[in-house]
């Protein structure tokens, strides 16, 4: 009887926390807590007697009446933006990233230009002003429907080409046609002198300074080119100067980026940043050393993982009212935004079923959010992709974006359509071109190598969401309700 009721396999994913049993319904894009008896039947772990249990059957029928346990799958892989892609790329661009130099005054061991990656290496190459002007003009001409536009300056170390930055800024402001213009870049912080800061402040720059923790950890990787001298003291002196002489700029326009080496101590990095008053009331972005395009696998230490999980646990306690925010790590606030976005999405009104024509998560409009222009004038979907692979190139600054190439990158799912259509992580997949490009072409086999990790990470996020919900966390207020 039960086998007849569930003859067609519903499109769901089952998981447990310490407090309950759950399933995620792909068609409804919702998570529900269910009795263990129902969980066992859905998991096909019940014996024949329990399968005939009337309350369980009734519960399942009620779920079906509420729209759950549908078997619908996507039938056609096509991104919903496909039809308007050409219009979007011609009229709605809003941000462009200029690789003004490929050179850097540091040689950070984990940098994508360090030689440890297949797609890039340091070079003494600087973008010409003519190429930069064409890129600025390209954004102006292709952003007619965008009231706000932005320019980022990318390296290498952007401040090595500061005179070029100044020329670009003045030209971009002149050509802005009354629109609001934002400027920003990431810097290693070693070249932040008074004259540069004066200019950055005057032109409303946002800057992201790289700082990896205390001296012993920061200097392990971030050394000046051609020497074993670490950059920590220089950066800290510059940060202290900016905070003292430009307090408004420092608190409103400066934030920090910390690259975490999983072989270091997370606790030591966290303690340094939390206890140093200079970092009060400033934001931090964090990221693990990138494994994309790496020549060798990035090892991970058990101590780092344990310390990170402990600090994340403390952050969750603060979100549910069990711990003060001041006792949590500022390094994880950015990470928690992902959890909050998940919570907000899962709390919204659910849909009826998955569309017949759709596209999994993970792909953005190529160049739509931030179009990357390298020093040679080639166009890429963003700064994270491989510059050496033909698969990643959208076009060039002379000819513009080739719509056919952009359309192919937008619809990456077509390479793995059958597997994607049956994957419970469909909506939340994060596999983009960086996980699809094998160095020469878009590869379905290359994509599939990332699938297991995507699903493991998502299930862990689902579990964390459910535990937070069990303890009263409200994403609308970002605290216990």
């Amino acid at each position: 009887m039960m086998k007849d009721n569930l003859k067609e396999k519903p499109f769901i994913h089952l998981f447990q926390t310490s407090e309950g049993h759950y399933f995620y319904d792909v068609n409804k894009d919702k998570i529900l807590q269910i009795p263990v008896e129902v969980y066992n039947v859905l998991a096909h772990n019940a014996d024949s007697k329990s399968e005939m249990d009337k309350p369980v059957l009734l519960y399942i029928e009620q779920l079906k009446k509420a729209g759950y346990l549908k078997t619908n799958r996507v039938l056609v892989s096509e991104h919903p933006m496909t039809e308007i892609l050409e219009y979007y790329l011609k009229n709605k661009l809003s941000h462009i990233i200029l690789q003004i130099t490929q050179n850097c005054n540091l040689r950070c061991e984990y940098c994508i230009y360090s030689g440890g990656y297949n797609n890039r290496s340091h070079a003494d190459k600087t973008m010409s002003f003519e190429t930069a002007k064409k890129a600025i003009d390209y954004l102006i001409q292709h952003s007619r429907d965008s009231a706000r536009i932005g320019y980022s300056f990318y390296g290498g170390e952007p401040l090595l080409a500061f005179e070029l930055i100044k020329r670009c800024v003045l030209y971009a402001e002149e050509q802005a046609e009354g629109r609001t213009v934002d400027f920003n870049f990431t810097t290693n912080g070693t070249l932040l002198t008074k004259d540069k800061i004066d200019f950055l402040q005057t032109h409303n720059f946002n800057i992201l300074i790289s700082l990896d923790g205390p001296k012993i950890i920061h200097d392990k990787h971030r050394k000046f080119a051609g020497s074993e001298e670490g950059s920590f003291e220089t950066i800290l002196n510059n940060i202290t100067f900016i905070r003292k002489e430009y307090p408004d700029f420092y608190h409103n326009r400066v934030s920090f980026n910390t690259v975490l080496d999983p072989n270091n101590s997370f606790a030591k990095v966290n303690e340094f940043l939390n206890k140093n008053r200079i970092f009060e009331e400033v934001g931090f972005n964090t990221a693990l050393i990138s494994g994309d395009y790496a020549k060798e696998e990035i090892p991970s230490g058990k101590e780092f993982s344990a310390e990170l999980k402990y600090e994340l646990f403390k952050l969750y306690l603060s979100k549910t009212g069990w711990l003060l925010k001041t006792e949590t790590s500022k390094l994880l606030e950015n990470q928690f935004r992902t959890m909050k976005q998940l919570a907000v999405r899962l709390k919204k009104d659910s849909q009826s079923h998955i569309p017949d024509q759709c596209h999994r998560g993970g792909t953005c409009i190529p160049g739509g959010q931030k179009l990357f222009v390298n020093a040679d004038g080639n166009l890429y979907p963003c700064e994270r992709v491989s510059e050496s692979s033909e698969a990643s190139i959208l076009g060039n600054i002379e000819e513009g974006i080739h719509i056919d190439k952009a359309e192919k990158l937008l619809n990456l799912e077509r390479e793995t359509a059958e597997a994607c259509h049956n994957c419970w992580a469909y909506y939340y997949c994060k596999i983009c071109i960086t996980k699809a490009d094998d160095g020469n072409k878009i590869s379905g086999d290359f994509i599939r190598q990332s699938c297991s990790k995507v699903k493991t990470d998502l299930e862990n996020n689902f579990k964390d969401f459910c535990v937070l919900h069990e303890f009263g966390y409200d994403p609308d207020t970002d605290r216990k309700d």
Side-chain angles (χ1 to χ4, degrees):
M1 181 175 176
M2 176 51 61
K3 291 179 180 177
D4 289 338
N5 270 350
L6 295 176
K7 188 174 181 180
E8 291 185 76
K9 189 174 181 181
F11 201 7
I12 62 173
H13 177 68
L14 295 151
F15 62 94
Q16 303 177 48
T17 70
S18 59
E19 297 296 320
H21 295 74
Y22 295 85
F23 76 86
Y24 167 66
D25 190 291
V26 183
N27 276 284
K28 296 279 283 184
D29 192 20
K30 279 287 185 184
I31 291 175
L32 283 186
Q33 186 171 10
I34 53 177
V36 61
E37 297 84 3
V38 176
Y39 182 94
N40 288 335
V41 169
L42 293 176
H44 299 287
N45 289 330
D47 59 30
S48 58
K49 184 177 180 180
S50 63
E51 285 184 351
M52 298 293 291
D53 187 73
K54 203 168 183 179
V56 172
L57 291 173
L58 181 61
Y59 197 101
I60 289 176
E61 289 304 319
Q62 290 300 318
L63 286 175
K64 289 184 175 181
K65 286 180 181 179
Y68 292 94
L69 304 181
K70 287 187 172 75
T71 61
N72 301 54
R73 264 76 166 171
V74 170
L75 301 178
V76 179
S77 293
E78 182 163 313
H79 198 285
M81 293 295 293
T82 303
E83 288 189 7
I84 63 169
L85 177 62
E86 185 170 4
Y87 169 81
Y88 192 103
L89 294 178
K90 286 184 177 180
N91 298 281
K92 292 181 69 68
L93 296 186
S94 60
H95 199 115
I96 203 162
I97 303 172
L98 305 177
Q99 186 192 57
I100 56 174
T101 181
Q102 294 181 356
N103 201 1
C104 186
N105 62 327
L106 299 188
R107 288 297 182 269
C108 306
E109 293 177 1
Y110 56 68
C111 177
I112 57 174
Y113 290 93
S114 65
Y117 293 79
N118 292 311
N119 60 323
R120 286 172 173 162
S121 60
H122 282 293
D124 190 16
K125 183 180 289 186
T126 298
M127 180 180 283
S128 69
F129 182 57
E130 288 306 309
T131 297
K133 279 179 64 177
K134 290 176 182 177
I136 293 167
D137 291 339
Y138 190 87
L139 180 59
I140 296 293
Q141 294 161 9
H142 293 80
S143 60
R144 295 180 182 89
D145 292 348
S146 301
R148 193 180 197 105
I149 56 176
Y151 297 91
S152 294
F153 299 98
Y154 189 82
E157 168 51 47
L159 290 180
L160 287 174
F162 186 63
E163 292 304 314
L164 176 57
I165 289 178
K166 290 198 293 186
R167 293 182 72 184
C168 288
V169 167
L170 296 177
Y171 182 73
E173 290 176 337
E174 179 185 299
Q175 301 298 315
E177 300 175 348
R179 283 178 282 184
T180 302
V181 185
D182 299 313
F183 300 105
N184 61 79
F185 63 84
T186 300
T187 175
N188 61 40
T190 61
L191 302 175
L192 286 167
T193 55
K194 185 179 186 304
D195 62 318
K196 293 182 177 71
I197 300 165
D198 285 336
F199 182 86
L200 300 175
Q201 179 179 245
T202 300
H203 294 275
N204 297 318
F205 266 78
N206 293 302
I207 65 171
L208 188 65
I209 300 174
S210 297
L211 181 70
D212 290 351
K215 179 178 174 64
I216 191 171
I217 288 177
H218 179 93
D219 284 350
K220 176 182 175 181
H221 293 296
R222 303 183 67 81
K223 299 179 175 67
F224 284 100
S227 78
E228 289 299 310
E229 180 187 355
S231 57
F232 177 83
E233 296 294 345
T234 301
I235 297 169
L236 195 63
N237 288 339
N238 289 343
I239 293 170
T240 303
F241 171 74
I242 299 171
R243 184 174 182 264
K244 179 182 178 182
E245 301 298 329
Y246 303 84
D248 290 340
F249 178 71
Y250 181 78
H251 286 102
N252 297 320
R253 296 284 181 171
V254 175
S255 56
F256 293 88
N257 182 60
T258 299
V259 178
L260 299 172
D261 181 344
N263 288 292
N264 287 332
S265 168
F266 181 87
K268 288 180 180 178
V269 177
N270 184 56
E271 181 182 20
F272 168 74
L273 297 178
N274 275 11
K275 291 188 175 181
N276 196 322
R277 291 189 62 187
I278 197 172
F279 302 118
E280 291 177 352
E281 299 179 3
V282 290
F284 274 82
N285 292 327
T286 58
L288 291 172
I289 294 176
S290 175
D292 294 338
Y293 307 109
K295 293 178 180 178
E296 298 180 1
E297 185 176 350
I298 309 297
S300 181
K302 291 182 179 179
E303 180 185 3
F304 175 90
S305 179
E307 291 172 345
L308 178 62
K309 288 177 181 177
Y310 175 65
E311 289 298 331
L312 188 59
F313 171 68
K314 287 169 59 180
L315 179 60
Y316 287 170
L317 287 179
S318 76
K319 297 297 182 180
T320 53
W322 291 86
L323 201 65
L324 294 175
K325 183 179 178 181
T326 53
E327 299 178 69
T328 63
S329 172
K330 61 173 72 249
L331 289 170
L332 297 179
E333 278 293 336
N334 186 54
Q335 182 175 336
F336 192 79
R337 288 179 202 150
T338 301
M339 176 57 62
K340 183 176 180 179
Q341 290 167 359
L342 175 66
V344 169
R345 173 167 179 164
L346 290 170
K347 189 178 178 181
K348 76 180 189 331
D349 293 337
S350 60
Q351 61 191 27
S352 171
H353 58 82
I354 199 166
D356 290 342
Q357 181 173 298
C358 197
H359 195 284
R360 64 167 173 77
T363 59
C364 60
I365 298 174
Q369 294 180 338
K370 43 185 181 178
L371 182 65
F372 179 59
V373 187
N374 78 348
D376 295 319
N378 290 326
L379 305 178
Y380 300 85
C382 70
E383 77 283 5
R384 295 172 55 228
V385 304
S386 172
E387 289 179 57
S388 61
S389 174
E390 180 63 30
S392 297
I393 301 176
L394 290 174
N396 59 66
I397 206 61
E398 300 288 346
E399 300 173 0
I401 296 174
H402 298 306
I403 300 300
D404 59 332
K405 297 205 70 171
E407 197 269 349
K408 184 175 182 179
L409 295 189
L410 182 67
N411 287 283
L412 284 178
E413 183 184 309
R414 293 171 182 169
E415 299 292 331
T416 52
E418 183 176 355
C420 291
H421 293 174
N422 289 287
C423 179
W424 64 268
Y426 189 84
Y427 282 127
Y428 298 91
C429 181
K430 294 185 177 180
I431 298 174
C432 67
I433 176 63
T434 61
K435 301 291 188 182
D437 178 8
D438 68 4
N440 299 296
K441 65 183 184 308
I442 304 300
S443 166
D445 290 338
F446 206 67
I447 292 172
R448 279 184 279 270
Q449 291 176 20
S450 300
C451 292
S452 178
K453 185 177 187 308
V454 167
K455 288 183 278 193
T456 298
D457 290 347
L458 180 58
E459 181 175 282
N460 288 334
N461 284 338
F462 279 176
K463 291 177 180 178
D464 289 347
F465 161 77
C466 291
V467 172
L468 283 167
H469 181 72
E470 289 162 5
F471 281 88
Y473 173 71
D474 180 7
D476 293 332
T477 60
D478 201 29
R479 63 177 185 270
K480 187 174 182 179
D481 57 17

